[in-house]
């Protein structure tokens, strides 16, 4: 993404934004470097908020705010991702049935 921005490669930038938006958590540390680039982040904020379990931002994020909030954003997204992963494979008793295992965690953390 950084190279696409540096060399103004619009199609490649769109591809990168799509891939990153689909799974934000592994890219958070790298995205911090781009958090002040409004033209990039406007496409990523909805995915970042969703990864943190929050509704999308109602309006444009003010310049300068991402740098101040980035530690909180990073922790929220990473915690939600690890919480979701921690549920997988656990045995649960469901409605009188024992031995059921959690195979999938939904976006709202329901199983």
């Amino acid at each position: 993404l950084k190279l696409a921005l540096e060399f103004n490669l619009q199609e490649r930038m769109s591809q990168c934004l799509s891939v990153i938006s689909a799974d934000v958590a592994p890219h958070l540390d790298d995205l911090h470097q781009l958090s002040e680039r409004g033209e990039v982040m406007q496409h990523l904020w909805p995915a970042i908020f969703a990864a943190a379990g929050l509704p999308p931002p109602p309006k444009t994020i003010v310049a300068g705010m991402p740098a101040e909030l980035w530690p909180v954003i990073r922790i929220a997204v990473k915690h939600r991702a690890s919480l979701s992963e921690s549920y997988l494979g656990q045995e649960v008793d469901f409605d009188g049935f024992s031995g059921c295992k959690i195979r999938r965690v939904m976006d709202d953390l329901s199983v």
Side-chain angles (χ1 to χ4, degrees), residues 36-65:
E36 295 297 325
R37 303 280 303 254
E39 73 277 12
V40 173
M41 296 306 292
Q42 71 180 352
H43 299 286
L44 295 174
W45 282 125
I48 292 170
F49 272 59
L54 300 169
K59 59 182 181 176
T60 305
I61 306 251
V62 179
M65 186 184 301

Side-chain angles (χ1 to χ4, degrees), residues 61-101:
I61 306 251
V62 179
M65 186 184 301
E68 296 172 12
L69 292 178
W70 201 260
V72 175
I73 293 166
R74 193 171 130 310
I75 289 169
V77 172
K78 297 267 185 186
H79 175 71
R80 185 172 173 87
S82 65
L83 182 63
S84 177
E85 290 171 13
S86 71
Y87 287 140
L88 295 177
Q90 286 188 13
E91 289 194 16
V92 294
D93 291 334
F94 178 73
D95 202 21
F97 296 99
S98 61
C100 298
K101 286 193 177 191

